[in-house]
Amino acid sequence: MDSTSLEKRAISPASQETMASSAGPESATKKVKLDHELDKSDLKAEDEIQDSRNHGIARVKAEFRIPKSEHSSTESAPRYENDDESELAGREDKSKRQKRERGQNKNRKFGKAQDTIKICDTVKNGETCSHGDQCKFEHDLTKYIASKPEDLPGNCPVYEAIGYCPAGIKCRWMYSHWSKETGTSLFDQPKKAAAGYELNRVDREQQLILQRKKFPTPKSDLILPYLESIKEENIVRNNGSMTNEERADNIASYVESPIRPSEKKRLNYSRVKILSPLTTVGNLPFRRLCREFGAEITYSEMALALPLLQGSKQEWALPRTHTSEIGGFGVQIAAPKPWQAIKATEALAEYCNVNEGGLSEVNLNCGCPIDLVFRSGAGSALLDSHTKMLRMLKGMNAVSGEVPITVKLRMGTRDKNPIAKKLVQRLVTEGDVAAITLHGRSRQQRYTRLADWQYISETAQVARDTFNELEDKNKDTPERNPVWFIGNGDCYSWKDWWDAVENCNVDSVMIARGALIKPWIFEEIDSKQYLDKSATERLDMIKRFAHLGLEHWGSDEYGINNCRRFLCEFLSFSCRYVPVGILETLPPKLQDRPEKWKGRNELETLLGSGDYRDWIKISEMVLGPVHENFEFQPKHKSNAYEKE
């Protein structure tokens, strides 16, 4: 990759030609001059535009700007932060920044929605309660139905989607699928038979096995002593306390694990559209939404290995997937110790619906920068423990059966000490991973400053060269599966994606915040153009997310409450989207902050609001009025500002 291409990407992945055509005839004229020589006035104009972009300003067309005189004196623009990222330094006066609320709202509470009268589940499902009069729940269906609030308008979205409603009489749209004559819920058998369903469900019996530490791990029990012996041999060798003869005898005594899979399912990441694992917002409904927009590979939220082994209900909810994700769904785990990662991988391979396509890969997170994860020795802490990471991956590969193992890295833990090149070389040589994803930032950077795609490109080339060298040396051995290399960081437009794939040596690009802000980015990648979604189309997208959420969390009061909470989390990112139709310059950049703007209509202005109370108002447009117990606090204090 030449330095010119990388220099252009550092500024913008957009070609000058497309920028010119997007901006109009005058820009097109400037494009012609750029191909030859610009005069001084043109250079000054280009410098001013580039200077504004470098200062992080997204220029909005004059008719959509809000004059400073109209800004509320008490209103503070919301900060643009991710779940993990450090707060980006603004360009306001220092004294103003100090007055702004900072950090996260820890120990957030969302309130629980509860029925006035709690119905017994067995009676609700038409069965006879075995506890009889001793049961503490209500058995009188008529009494329970009378205590419920009035049904929400319209038909039950879950019943319309899958032909039945699991919530039954607890559904807030009960009468749309309830027969008064028979006193039972209705079923649309053809629709039910054709509907998709969720995979990787762990039942109560399986949870109890894990919780009681009775889950058998024969493969892990065999590979762990072998890996430990390798570790001990390396320690003795490095200390120099073993003679060459003793070392030779010791190595000869080791037996390669007989359970290492000789064949794994082949992955194909050549130019596929990948949604990154996302904390909180990367839930199943959001992933399904991205799938509908064209994402081909999706990942679970990061699951911690130890809670998985302990049978945690909340942790086992993370690997759950939907039939729409079959063939391209990976579960990401994090662990500080090899035995945790290896045994959790064996549990996933056993309990997930591998044969039905519910698990395409297990991904080891070696890049999470969160302090809590890092200090435990997991996530990006493994970047400083190469030997431990390699033993983890070797063990995971041995126990996962036909499921491939992949890994996600950062450049290193410190800015001035990137180690990914050296580490990637070892990973490819060991042959235990099917794909490597590199985020172009260090752990110290978190999400500040632009991702280093120069370094990603160089590391991808190291991976390719290493693999080719091994293939040349081992021509007589069976062909190895290719090691795919995926880049990650600052992919916010279709131009970013295509520029990386075509110029940065990567097989594909993993998209994170770009998809959170506009999930239709995958459509833009396919069409190779910006899509100016109208406010109505975006509201329909929000409604679709809500319906997918009800299908996942339930259409009763509790499920609606849960769905509303995650919808507000989603809106905390989507509100950052500035419609391309009101921007002066394209492409939009992730780090650019727009001037105060108003939309082309009231709905567009509302969808761009950073006030969390407006997010709740939007949720009421698709989920009905909020429950009296519902509460929502933004993840970051800076989003919880008050308006006059």
Side-chain angles (χ1 to χ4, degrees), residues 1 79 256 280 311 322 448 490 513 515 518 521 564 601:
M1 178 180 181
R79 304 300 290 175
E256 182 70 20
T280 306
H322 189 265
T448 59
D490 294 343
R513 287 180 290 173
K518 54 174 183 178
I521 188 173
R564 194 187 305 276
N601 53 51

Side-chain angles (χ1 to χ4, degrees), residues 556-576:
D556 59 351
E557 198 66 67
Y558 177 83
I560 293 176
N561 214 54
N562 221 12
C563 182
R564 194 187 305 276
R565 175 256 167 130
F566 285 103
L567 175 57
C568 288
E569 302 279 13
F570 172 34
L571 293 173
S572 72
F573 287 94
S574 66
C575 71
R576 307 175 191 179

Side-chain angles (χ1 to χ4, degrees), residues 502-536:
E502 293 178 346
N503 299 319
C504 296
N505 294 317
V506 297
D507 295 300
S508 186
V509 180
M510 184 177 282
I511 304 175
R513 287 180 290 173
L516 288 175
I517 295 172
K518 54 174 183 178
W520 61 90
I521 188 173
F522 304 105
E523 280 187 347
E524 294 187 340
I525 292 170
D526 282 334
S527 62
K528 293 188 177 181
Q529 63 180 340
Y530 295 106
L531 300 177
D532 188 10
K533 296 282 185 179
S534 68
T536 303

Side-chain angles (χ1 to χ4, degrees), residues 538-546 567 571 607 618 622:
R538 290 167 61 197
L539 185 63
D540 288 341
M541 175 193 72
I542 292 168
K543 184 177 181 179
R544 178 60 179 159
F545 174 88
L567 175 57
L571 293 173
L607 294 175
I618 294 169
V622 295

Side-chain angles (χ1 to χ4, degrees), residues 33-56:
K33 293 184 178 180
L34 283 170
D35 285 338
H36 301 85
E37 184 177 1
L38 289 170
D39 57 35
K40 292 183 179 180
S41 61
D42 288 329
L43 284 171
K44 182 178 179 181
E46 290 294 321
D47 287 344
E48 287 177 354
I49 293 174
Q50 189 57 53
D51 184 63
S52 70
R53 297 299 294 266
N54 288 339
H55 280 76

